[in-house]
């Protein structure tokens, strides 16, 4: 992802525009997350506004397993968002991810 986003024609195409980035929850972990943050910072420095939309299936599964012995309910591999799933897993995962993302950008004073 990093090399692909570093090309200047990409910057020229989106300068002074808004770019919607949709990433999966797996992109919000470890080295992939570090690379994503670095790329978003570059976009902003190049005059590109960024809207980040993210999934969180991995993180939701993790939160669910903290409170339940059985796996999170899914149909054909897609998570079912019943009330208990939302309360026990979706909201905690969302809150944790949002906080982590905010902290990464708040840590950069020049951002």
């Amino acid at each position: 992802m990093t090399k692909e986003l570093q090309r200047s024609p990409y910057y020229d195409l989106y300068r002074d525009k808004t770019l919607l980035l949709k990433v999966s929850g797996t992109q919000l972990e470890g080295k992939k997350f570090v690379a994503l943050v670095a790329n978003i910072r570059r976009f902003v420095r190049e005059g590109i506004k960024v809207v980040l939309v993210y999934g969180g299936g991995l993180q939701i599964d993790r939160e669910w397993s903290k409170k339940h012995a059985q796996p999170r309910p899914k149909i054909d591999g897609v998570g079912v968002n019943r009330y208990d799933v939302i309360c026990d897993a979706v909201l905690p995962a969302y809150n944790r991810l949002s906080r982590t993302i905010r902290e990464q950008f708040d840590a950069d004073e020049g951002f």
Side-chain angles (χ1 to χ4, degrees):
M1 185 172 180
T2 303
K3 289 180 185 176
E4 186 176 318
L5 296 179
Q6 288 179 348
R7 296 189 304 232
S8 75
Y10 200 77
Y11 292 139
D12 293 340
L13 180 64
Y14 289 99
R15 187 168 286 116
D16 298 323
K17 294 184 177 142
T18 301
L19 178 66
L20 175 73
L21 290 178
K22 193 309 186 177
V23 298
S24 71
T26 58
Q27 293 295 121
L28 301 173
E29 304 243 326
K31 291 179 182 179
K32 290 179 181 180
F33 181 58
V34 172
L36 175 67
V37 169
N39 284 318
I40 291 172
R41 285 182 176 140
R42 276 190 218 104
F43 286 148
V44 172
R45 279 195 296 267
E46 291 291 328
I48 300 168
K49 297 172 198 82
V50 176
V51 173
L52 179 63
V53 177
Y54 54 90
L58 176 68
Q59 292 83 357
I60 294 168
D61 288 344
R62 209 177 284 142
E63 291 293 334
W64 179 261
S65 68
K66 289 177 184 178
K67 295 183 179 181
H68 302 275
Q70 73 279 14
R72 175 169 69 124
K74 295 182 180 182
I75 297 175
D76 296 328
V78 177
V80 176
N81 289 328
R82 304 181 313 219
Y83 182 77
D84 61 332
V85 176
I86 292 170
C87 292
D88 291 348
V90 174
L91 291 175
Y94 168 78
N95 290 332
R96 186 181 307 273
L97 284 169
S98 294
R99 185 173 51 252
T100 300
I101 292 166
R102 269 193 317 274
E103 287 170 354
Q104 279 298 310
F105 291 106
D106 289 347
D108 185 359
E109 294 176 17
F111 191 72

